[in-house]
């Protein structure tokens, strides 16, 4: 494709400090004609040229390497000899065993290399200049080609759309689709590139840090971690954390007022402005300790830069020590405040005027939790303190630039050490979750002790005049009074609109029937202790939870969590008081006593002393969730004995040894929180603990028998709305009190007056009307018994069934849907089978460059929710044998086949399973016969494969055994080399690579067929 001379576009003017534009107004769109993908690509490149990117035509690896040499010589002001260049490539830039992770580490942490030259001297060679970012040179290339096969080729031939080179290295890749095509197809295309060819040759495309996908109308960006999982799986390497491996983790770019910039033209003028792109690459990416690359979102960058600007302005204008030197950041719960605060602390600690950054949390558990998070972002970046004495030592040590502490430790230090040297230094204090604990005497004493400070606060729920309450110091009642003006806002409405957190679905369940004629109000009007703690009411609520738990937490559906596959999610139960929590726990124990152990919910409980428990549950209070201490010694004796007994139940369940001693309780808290996050416990009963500052993506339901309002309500609800995967689409709130007004008021306060329709799911009727219309359309246009002929019809079927699956995913949480489903179980199985047939046929590799149809988007994760397991099939086999007698039960036999066809993971095992069904004996244990059958078939098939391909038998069996143990094939390295027969020196070029690929394909098919069986 030829690129015409660039039109001239003035880049948007920004200050030297601003990466994100303050406000973006898009140009009115004048074009009305159809735009092809090629035309969209040409327009994009012209825009980049207008912003001083150099367009170069590089289509081969040789040309790419030659350009890289020129660019690195210019950046480092050096000339490499041919020998030096080859050594630099092999030693540093393109090592034979380096993958995406190695090259990401190189860009983020190890971008300068001490290179020994031919004459013995050493020269530091930089890949990128992070101090003076405009020394880096930006180029744009397009239609770069990778051939198939050979030593330097990919698994398949590919041609990439547009790539941004920084000093000759491909650091940003852009994949375009024409307008009208689903943007997720660009995402899927990049997935294929990473699996098939980014690693080919010298692997320079493994250096890509950021991906941009666009169909012209919609444009998003994400880091290389969001797609690294597929490459890791293909190569058999250890899996990365399963948190950002989906389209859900792509991000919109936006201006500073959080208005998304979705059109490619606007995105190019802002995100691809040279200063912005280089700042994102060099300052606003974080490589975590587990080697995930996080790229910050625009609102996080804005907040960070406004904190840094406020520090510099306050320093220059001598405002240190006043509220004018600080401010607060209002970013809603779940939007990534810890990452933002870390980056702000990290960059502030590097300012020449700053002596120390103090990150202050308000709970004992959070200083170590924050330490772990900071260590994940950068090992050793910050230091937590176990005592006031250690805090004093860390503050005096000039090498410890960032110190984490609790407000209580800091207040004790201020009281006990009046002359500490840190008080005279320039200190930046950053308060996490700046709630009420900072609005009292401790806040006053801290700000009096330090002389030259900037004071910043982060919060998801600020204290305004409307929700400040009546107590406390008159001049310290609101967040602004305590910290200064608001620096940036990102509300729950922004976060849900951007799909950075999930919306809520709320049920209000009436638990007290009012006498006729008394009032039509629900439980909120009846707040007497006697009514709310009545054993009958508590029994009814526990019975309701047990009856609806599987439905609300989606226990019929399964998904991948790390290395495990788990069913459904878990829940918290927020109660009004310690007494209520105790009664509920006892009721669960009683009602589950007759249920078999395997079917019981694993229920935990945690509470501690809170000074203002009664006030916290009052609807007249300020809405604070009072923090419970970490020392249960403040509890009355019956409550402490009850908690000890409950912890003993927990110890029996999980083989632990916790108790209510100070250290034992802290250990119990940590262990319980870990099991919540790992989905090992089903339900935890709490009073206030875990309702603020606790993140577990596996939580999807909050049962509420507690008066909540204002920021306390939003904080508690927000435990359920963290994004995990495509199965979890909303947070469930089930309230046994009428909190509808309080919910609407809180959403209006922390969102806006129109926020309710964004934050809460629509009513059942609206979803159901859409669902029923789509199902009627499906049944009319695609009857199960009529084949779907032609690509266009297949595309329409996939889109239609995908829409139905997404709606069913939401509707299953409504009680009414169970009786309102329009598709029978048989129809759903049949349609899933057809869906998977189309998916399998389109995924099948061909000799063409495109191996997957770009116009189809499949909801395979939603299909997996109703996954049929081998255990289920064996139950059907047992039924088949029991009912067959001397003849055949054709219905049960057909049911087995349909179940296999509807399962993504069993379809490739169909022949194996059906052959077993046909040969199963009339007597004997089905599971034992199955195991023996699988072992015999597996050994026979592997023996035949070894013979067919002349493989080394022992090495092949060891290779396969390791794959079954690890859950993936090791497709690179010495392990596969040991399996293959020696290569003949007389074989034509490429023959060995073709042989290796054929063997890997056959071993992969064998592995997929037998993995998880027997």
């Amino acid at each position: 494709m030829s690129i015409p001379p660039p039109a001239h576009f003035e880049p948007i003017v920004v200050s030297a400090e601003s990466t994100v534009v303050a406000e973006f107004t898009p140009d009115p769109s004048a074009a009305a004609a159809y735009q092809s993908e090629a035309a969209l690509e040409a327009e994009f490149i012209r825009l980049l040229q207008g912003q001083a990117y150099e367009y170069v035509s590089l289509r081969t690896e040789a040309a790419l390497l030659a350009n890289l040499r020129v660019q690195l010589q210019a950046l480092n002001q050096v000339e490499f000899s041919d020998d030096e260049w080859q050594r630099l490539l092999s030693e540093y830039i393109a090592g034979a065993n380096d993958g995406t992770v190695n090259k990401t580490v190189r860009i983020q942490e190890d971008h300068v290399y001490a290179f020994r030259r031919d004459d013995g001297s050493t020269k530091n060679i930089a890949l990128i200049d992070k101090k003076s970012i405009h020394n880096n040179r930006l180029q744009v290339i397009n239609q770069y080609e990778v051939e198939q096969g050979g030593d330097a080729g990919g698994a398949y031939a590919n041609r990439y759309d547009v790539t941004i080179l920084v000093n000759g290295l491909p650091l940003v890749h852009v994949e375009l689709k024409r307008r009208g095509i689903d943007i997720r197809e660009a995402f899927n295309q990049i997935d294929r590139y990473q699996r098939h060819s980014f690693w080919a040759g010298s692997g320079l495309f493994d250096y890509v840090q950021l991906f941009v996908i666009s169909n012209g109308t919609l444009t998003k960006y994400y880091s290389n971690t969001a797609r690294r999982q597929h490459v890791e799986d293909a190569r058999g390497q250890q899996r990365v954390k399963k948190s950002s491996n989906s389209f859900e983790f792509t991000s919109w770019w936006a201006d500073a007022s959080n208005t998304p910039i979705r059109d490619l033209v606007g995105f190019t003028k802002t995100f691809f402005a040279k200063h912005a792109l280089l700042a994102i690459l060099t300052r606003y990416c974080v490589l975590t300790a587990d080697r995930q690359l996080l790229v910050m979102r625009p609102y996080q960058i804005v907040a960070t830069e406004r904190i840094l600007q406020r520090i510099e302005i306050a320093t220059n204008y001598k405002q240190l020590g006043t509220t004018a030197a600080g401010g607060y950041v209002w970013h809603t719960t779940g939007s990534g405040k810890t990452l933002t605060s870390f980056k702000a602390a990290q960059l502030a600690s590097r300012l020449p005027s700053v002596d120390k950054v103090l990150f202050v949390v308000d709970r004992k558990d959070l200083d170590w939790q924050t330490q772990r998070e900071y260590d994940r972002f950068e090992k050793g970046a910050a230091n937590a303190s176990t005592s006031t004495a250690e805090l004093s030592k860390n503050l005096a040590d000039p090498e410890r630039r960032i110190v984490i502490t609790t407000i209580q430790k800091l207040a004790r230090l201020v009281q006990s050490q009046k002359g500490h040297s840190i008080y005279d230094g320039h200190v930046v204090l950053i308060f996490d979750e700046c709630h009420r604990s900072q609005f009292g005497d401790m806040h006053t004493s801290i700000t009096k002790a330090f002389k030259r400070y900037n004071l910043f606060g982060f919060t998801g729920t600020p204290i305004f005049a409307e929700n400040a309450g009546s107590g406390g110091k008159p001049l310290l009642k609101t967040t602004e009074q305590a910290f200064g003006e608001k620096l940036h806002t990102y509300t729950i409405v922004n976060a849900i609109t951007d799909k950075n957190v999930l919306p809520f679905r709320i049920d209000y369940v009436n638990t007290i029937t009012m006498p006729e004629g008394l009032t039509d109000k629900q439980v909120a009007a009846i707040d007497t202790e006697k009514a709310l703690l009545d054993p009958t009411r508590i029994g009814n609520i526990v019975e309701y939870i047990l009856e609806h738990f599987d439905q609300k937490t989606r226990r019929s559906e399964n998904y991948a969590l790390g290395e495990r596959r788990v069913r459904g999610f878990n829940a918290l139960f927020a109660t009004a008081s310690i007494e209520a929590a105790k009664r509920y726990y006892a009721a669960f124990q009683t009602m589950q006593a007759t249920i078999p152990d395997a079917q019981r919910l694993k229920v935990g409980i945690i509470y501690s002393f809170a000074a203002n428990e009664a006030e916290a549950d009052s609807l007249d209070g300020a809405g604070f969730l009072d923090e419970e201490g970490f020392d249960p010694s403040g509890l009355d004796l019956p409550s402490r004995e009850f908690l000890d007994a409950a912890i003993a139940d927990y110890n029996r369940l999980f083989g632990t040894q916790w108790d209510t001693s100070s250290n034992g309780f802290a250990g119990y808290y940590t262990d319980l929180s870990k099991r919540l996050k790992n989905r090992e416990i089903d339900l935890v009963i709490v009073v206030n603990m875990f309702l603020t500052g606790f993140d577990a993506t596996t939580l999807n339901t909050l049962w509420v028998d507690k008066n909540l309002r204002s920021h306390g309500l939003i904080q508690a609800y927000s435990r359920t709305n963290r994004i995990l995967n495509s199965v979890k689409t909303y947070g469930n709130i089930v309230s046994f009190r009428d909190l509808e007004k309080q919910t609407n008021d809180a959403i209006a306060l922390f969102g806006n007056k129109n926020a309710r329709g964004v934050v809460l799911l629509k009513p059942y009727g609206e979803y159901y009307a859409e669902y029923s219309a789509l199902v009627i359309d499906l049944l009319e246009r695609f009857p199960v018994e009529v084949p779907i002929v032609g690509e266009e019809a297949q595309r329409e079927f996939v889109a239609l069934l995908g829409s139905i699956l997404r709606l069913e995913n939401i509707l299953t949480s409504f009680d009414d849907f169970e009786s309102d489903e329009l598709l029978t179980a048989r129809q759903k199985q049949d349609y899933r089978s057809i869906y998977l047939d189309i998916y399998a046929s389109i995924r099948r590799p061909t000799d063409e460059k495109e191996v997957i149809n770009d116009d189809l988007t499949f909801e395979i994760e939603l299909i997996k929710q109703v996954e049929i397991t081998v255990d289920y099939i064996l139950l059907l086999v047992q039924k088949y044998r029991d009912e067959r007698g001397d003849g055949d039960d054709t219905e049960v036999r057909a049911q087995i086949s349909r179940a296999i066809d509807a399962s993504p993971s069993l379809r490739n095992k169909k022949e194996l399973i059906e052959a077993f069904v046909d040969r199963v004996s009339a007597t004997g244990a089905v599971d034992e016969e199955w195991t023996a059958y699988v072992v015999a078939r597996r050994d026979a098939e592997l023996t035949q494969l070894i013979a067919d391909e002349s493989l080394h038998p022992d090495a092949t069996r060891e290779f396969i055994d390791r794959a079954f143990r690890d859950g993936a094939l090791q497709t690179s390295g010495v392990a596969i080399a040991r399996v293959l027969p020696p290569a003949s020196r007389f074989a034509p070029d490429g023959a060995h690579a073709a042989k290796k690929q054929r063997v890997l394909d056959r071993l992969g098919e064998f592995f997929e067929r037998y993995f998880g069986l027997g």
Side-chain angles (χ1 to χ4, degrees):
M1 180 184 73
S2 62
I3 301 297
H8 183 68
F9 290 91
E10 287 293 337
I12 291 177
V13 177
V14 293
S15 74
E17 294 81 19
S18 298
T19 301
V20 180
V21 295
E23 185 175 359
F24 179 72
T25 304
D27 296 331
S29 180
Y34 172 86
Q35 186 180 42
S36 67
E37 185 177 316
L40 180 67
E41 183 176 306
E43 180 188 15
F44 174 55
I45 293 174
R46 280 196 298 270
L47 283 170
L48 292 176
Q49 287 179 286
Q51 294 175 191
Y53 285 66
E54 178 195 8
Y55 174 75
V56 286
S57 180
L58 305 174
R59 303 290 166 84
T60 65
E61 182 173 79
L64 188 65
L65 285 168
N67 180 69
L68 174 62
R69 179 175 179 175
V70 171
Q71 301 303 319
L72 289 182
Q73 287 179 160
L75 178 68
N76 293 281
Q77 299 180 335
V78 66
E79 290 287 333
F80 298 118
S81 69
D82 290 346
D83 181 61
E84 285 176 333
W85 176 241
Q86 291 304 319
R87 282 198 297 107
L88 184 65
L89 284 176
S90 61
E91 290 176 13
Y92 180 56
I93 297 174
N97 297 318
D98 291 349
T100 307
V101 177
N102 310 86
K103 291 167 184 173
T104 300
V105 170
R106 201 161 292 144
I107 293 296
Q108 297 299 325
E109 297 178 351
D110 188 25
H111 61 284
V112 178
Y113 178 60
F115 178 61
R116 182 170 292 278
R117 306 199 64 189
D118 289 344
D119 62 6
S121 65
T122 299
K123 169 74 174 174
N124 284 338
I125 302 298
L127 298 181
I128 189 168
D129 189 336
K130 296 191 176 185
K131 292 182 179 178
S132 302
I133 60 174
H134 288 290
N135 286 341
N136 300 293
R137 189 173 180 187
L138 298 181
Q139 297 170 299
V140 54
I141 65 172
N142 69 317
Q143 300 301 310
Y144 181 89
E145 296 183 13
V146 178
E147 299 300 323
Q148 181 178 3
D151 292 336
Y156 299 94
N158 278 309
R159 181 184 292 145
Y160 309 147
D161 283 355
V162 180
T163 305
I164 308 302
L165 307 180
V166 181
N167 305 322
L169 281 174
L171 296 191
V172 184
H173 180 71
V174 184
E175 193 62 29
L176 302 171
K177 295 295 171 189
R178 71 177 188 271
R179 295 180 190 272
I181 297 296
D182 189 340
I183 190 178
R184 283 184 291 185
E185 289 315 313
F187 183 78
N188 294 340
Q189 183 104 356
I190 289 172
D191 165 24
R192 295 193 290 281
Y193 291 160
Q194 287 195 305
R195 284 186 286 119
H196 295 160
S197 58
F198 270 1
W199 45 265
S202 57
L204 291 184
F205 275 81
D206 273 341
Y207 273 102
V208 172
Q209 304 293 285
L210 304 177
F211 294 105
V212 174
I213 51 176
S214 179
N215 60 8
T217 308
L218 302 176
T219 309
K220 303 189 83 175
Y221 73 102
Y222 56 99
S223 77
N224 63 24
T225 295
R227 272 303 174 192
R228 200 173 82 221
Q229 174 72 50
H230 293 277
V231 187
E232 304 284 328
D233 284 348
R235 296 183 181 177
Q237 295 170 4
Q238 184 178 359
R239 297 183 179 185
V240 295
K241 186 180 175 184
K242 179 89 173 183
S243 65
S244 54
N245 179 32
S246 66
F247 183 77
E248 282 78 11
F249 286 85
T250 58
S251 297
W252 301 109
W253 190 245
D255 63 18
S257 61
N258 305 316
T259 303
I261 303 172
R262 297 179 176 179
D263 184 84
L264 181 59
V265 173
F267 187 94
T268 305
K269 290 182 177 182
T270 53
F271 182 91
F272 280 112
K274 291 180 71 173
H275 173 85
L277 182 65
L278 290 168
I280 293 165
L281 286 169
T282 59
R283 288 163 68 90
Y284 298 118
C285 287
V286 174
L287 186 63
T288 66
D290 52 3
R291 290 334 196 198
Q292 291 192 76
L293 184 66
L294 308 178
V295 56
M296 294 176 71
R297 295 167 176 152
Y299 60 88
Q300 296 174 308
I301 295 173
V302 174
T304 300
E305 291 190 339
R306 289 188 177 170
I307 286 174
L308 297 175
Q309 290 165 12
R310 184 56 57 95
I311 293 171
E312 292 195 5
I313 291 170
T315 304
N316 294 337
Y317 286 85
K318 303 191 183 324
Q319 295 173 326
L320 296 178
T322 69
T323 53
Y328 73 94
V329 173
W330 172 14
H331 283 183
T332 192
T333 305
S335 60
K337 291 192 297 298
T338 304
L339 176 59
T340 312
S341 67
F342 163 77
K343 184 52 73 171
Q346 182 194 57
L347 295 178
S349 71
R350 296 174 183 172
L351 294 174
S353 70
V354 173
D355 297 307
K356 194 79 64 179
V357 176
L358 261 173
F359 190 80
V360 187
V361 297
D362 62 355
R363 292 214 310 265
K364 177 182 177 182
D365 64 311
L366 284 181
D367 55 350
W368 290 105
Q369 182 177 311
T370 304
Q371 168 86 56
R372 286 194 301 273
E373 282 291 297
Y374 273 26
D375 270 350
R376 192 168 77 88
F377 298 147
E378 182 186 349
K379 189 69 177 173
N383 302 89
S385 309
T386 56
S387 63
T388 305
E390 189 175 354
L391 172 62
S392 175
K393 182 180 176 182
N394 285 337
L395 290 175
D397 186 346
E399 297 301 313
R400 300 197 184 280
R401 303 284 294 166
I402 304 174
V403 175
I404 302 169
T405 183
T406 62
I407 189 171
Q408 294 83 0
K409 280 198 209 89
L410 186 57
R412 285 197 298 272
L413 176 84
V414 166
Q415 291 296 325
S416 61
Q417 298 188 31
K418 303 289 187 184
H420 198 291
S421 59
I422 194 64
Y423 300 147
D424 296 318
H426 182 181
V427 178
V428 176
L429 295 119
I430 299 176
F431 282 76
D432 182 42
E433 289 296 349
C434 47
H435 291 316
R436 182 171 61 177
S437 57
Q438 281 96 52
F439 291 8
D441 292 336
M442 285 190 288
H443 178 97
T444 304
S445 62
I446 289 168
T447 52
K448 277 185 177 178
F450 290 91
K451 308 295 189 297
R452 300 170 57 243
Y453 64 83
N454 303 91
L455 183 66
F456 299 104
F458 280 83
T459 181
T461 49
I463 310 302
F464 303 114
E466 297 95 316
N467 62 317
S470 55
K473 294 177 174 289
L475 298 180
L476 277 179
K477 291 174 69 67
T478 68
T479 305
E480 186 166 342
Q481 286 177 319
F483 290 91
E485 68 176 333
K486 181 175 62 187
L487 299 179
H488 192 248
T489 301
Y490 187 77
T491 69
I492 190 170
V493 179
N494 298 134
I496 291 175
T497 302
D498 290 346
K499 295 183 168 53
N500 288 329
V501 298
L502 301 171
F504 301 115
R505 159 158 173 35
I506 304 180
D507 290 332
Y508 300 104
V509 180
N510 193 4
T511 57
I512 297 180
T513 303
M514 302 298 298
E516 188 176 351
L518 180 63
T519 177
D520 61 359
K521 276 196 170 186
Q522 286 186 295
V523 182
I526 308 176
D527 56 4
T528 63
E529 192 76 8
K530 184 177 180 181
L532 295 173
L533 291 180
D534 183 272
T536 303
R537 177 177 180 269
I538 284 179
N540 289 342
I541 288 175
V542 170
E543 188 176 348
Y544 182 91
I545 292 175
L546 289 173
E547 182 181 345
H548 292 84
F549 192 87
D550 284 2
Q551 174 204 8
K552 297 299 182 186
T553 59
R554 317 292 289 277
R555 289 305 171 93
S556 63
E557 297 149 11
N558 62 70
Y559 59 93
L561 183 67
E563 298 300 313
R564 298 181 298 138
R565 198 148 185 95
V566 298
R567 289 198 167 274
F569 306 101
N570 48 11
L572 291 175
F573 185 8
T575 63
S577 63
I578 290 174
E579 183 60 33
K582 288 157 53 181
R583 294 194 185 196
Y584 276 116
Y585 183 82
F588 273 106
Q589 296 295 94
T590 300
M591 289 196 181
Q592 293 202 106
T594 57
I595 300 174
D597 286 352
Q599 298 175 23
R600 291 181 193 174
L601 294 183
K602 294 176 181 175
V603 179
I605 183 173
I606 191 165
Y607 57 78
S608 186
F609 177 71
N612 302 295
E613 186 181 289
E615 179 193 330
D617 193 55
S618 167
L619 283 174
D620 298 324
F624 292 102
L625 289 169
D626 202 53
E627 297 296 349
E628 295 170 272
F630 272 75
D631 185 0
S633 61
L635 293 169
D636 61 72
L637 185 60
S639 295
R640 183 162 183 175
E641 288 177 344
F642 187 97
L643 184 59
D644 254 324
I647 293 176
D649 293 339
Y650 179 93
N651 289 338
R652 282 190 292 274
L653 192 60
F654 294 110
T656 51
Q657 294 182 322
W658 309 117
D659 55 36
T660 62
S661 65
S662 182
N663 290 337
F665 183 79
Y668 173 59
Y669 176 96
T670 302
D671 194 70
L672 180 62
S673 63
K674 187 188 303 179
R675 295 187 194 279
L676 259 175
K677 293 180 180 185
N678 292 337
R679 237 286 287 134
E680 295 174 35
I681 192 165
D682 298 311
L683 176 69
V684 176
I685 300 169
V686 301
V687 181
N688 289 331
M689 279 187 172
F690 292 139
L691 294 184
T692 60
F694 175 74
D695 289 341
T697 54
T698 59
L699 277 173
N700 86 319
T701 301
L702 177 71
W703 311 88
V704 182
D705 186 24
K706 180 183 187 71
N707 287 332
L708 294 168
R709 67 184 293 271
S710 190
H711 43 287
L713 181 146
I714 294 293
Q715 288 280 344
Y717 284 12
S718 295
R719 298 314 101 205
T720 67
N721 74 340
R722 301 299 191 268
I723 290 175
L724 176 62
N725 52 29
S726 58
V727 180
K728 184 181 177 185
T729 50
Y730 47 83
N732 257 326
I733 311 298
V734 183
S735 177
F736 300 108
R737 304 194 184 192
D738 183 9
L739 299 178
E740 186 170 12
K741 182 179 185 304
Q742 289 76 22
T743 298
N744 293 340
D745 288 349
I747 290 169
L749 180 63
F750 296 112
N752 58 53
K753 65 181 185 299
N754 300 315
R756 189 170 181 272
V758 177
V759 179
L760 306 183
L761 288 191
K762 294 181 288 188
Y764 172 75
E766 291 185 38
Y767 288 113
Y768 188 77
E770 186 180 354
Y771 161 81
S772 59
L774 291 175
V775 170
I776 291 168
D777 191 24
L778 177 74
L779 294 170
E780 288 178 353
R781 294 173 58 198
F782 302 106
V784 168
E785 62 277 4
V786 179
I788 302 173
V789 180
E791 187 179 305
E792 186 64 29
Q794 289 181 340
R795 200 163 36 235
E796 291 172 1
F797 170 77
V798 166
L800 182 57
L801 189 61
S803 298
I804 292 170
L805 287 169
R806 287 191 292 272
L807 283 168
E808 278 189 346
N809 193 39
I810 295 172
L811 285 166
T812 49
S813 76
F814 291 88
D815 297 345
D816 299 341
F817 187 61
E818 190 173 353
S819 59
D820 289 349
E821 278 197 82
L822 296 178
L823 292 173
T824 65
R826 167 80 69 85
Q827 285 174 319
K828 287 199 285 187
Q829 266 190 337
D830 289 339
Y831 278 123
R832 285 198 299 272
S833 299
I834 297 168
Y835 192 90
L836 289 168
D837 268 334
I838 296 172
Y839 177 72
S841 67
I842 290 175
R843 281 185 75 239
R844 194 173 296 122
T846 68
D847 293 332
E848 300 174 11
K849 291 182 179 178
E850 291 294 329
V851 284
I852 300 180
N853 188 315
D854 282 342
D855 296 339
L856 289 181
T857 299
F858 291 93
E859 298 292 338
I860 296 302
E861 185 62 43
L862 296 181
I863 289 284
K864 286 181 183 174
Q865 292 179 27
V866 286
E867 184 72 273
I868 307 298
T869 63
V870 172
D871 291 338
Y872 175 77
I873 296 294
L874 292 179
L875 286 174
L876 288 181
V877 172
Q878 181 75 51
K879 180 182 177 184
Y880 174 61
R881 190 180 67 180
D882 293 346
E883 296 182 6
R884 181 173 56 174
D886 295 329
D888 285 343
D889 187 318
T890 56
E891 172 52 32
V892 179
R893 184 65 177 75
Q895 188 180 355
I896 292 171
S897 294
R898 285 196 304 273
I900 297 169
D901 285 340
S903 167
S905 63
L906 294 185
R907 285 171 67 85
N908 60 359
K909 303 169 174 52
K910 182 176 181 178
E911 179 272 330
L912 194 70
I913 296 171
E914 290 188 338
F916 172 71
V917 173
D918 292 336
R919 69 184 290 280
V920 68
S921 67
T923 58
V926 170
D927 55 348
E928 292 177 7
E929 287 192 32
W930 166 251
T931 300
Y933 168 76
V934 167
V935 169
R937 279 287 302 265
R938 185 175 61 203
D939 288 349
E941 189 172 328
L942 185 58
T943 299
Q944 186 62 49
L945 196 160
I946 291 170
D948 291 348
E949 299 291 348
S950 302
L951 306 180
H952 294 297
D954 292 342
T956 305
R957 295 182 191 283
E958 183 183 341
F959 180 80
I960 285 294
D961 288 345
R962 184 186 300 113
F964 284 134
R965 185 175 65 247
D966 297 343
L969 283 177
Q970 178 87 22
T971 58
S972 62
V974 296
I976 185 62
R978 294 194 188 105
V979 168
L980 296 170
S984 169
R985 73 173 73 178
F986 303 109
D989 289 345
H992 181 69
K995 169 79 170 179
K996 176 182 175 182
Q997 189 61 51
R998 186 176 69 250
V999 169
L1000 284 174
D1001 288 344
R1002 291 194 64 182
L1003 289 173
E1005 291 171 6
F1006 175 85
F1007 171 78
E1008 292 295 337
R1009 185 157 51 253
Y1010 287 100
F1011 181 61
L1013 301 181

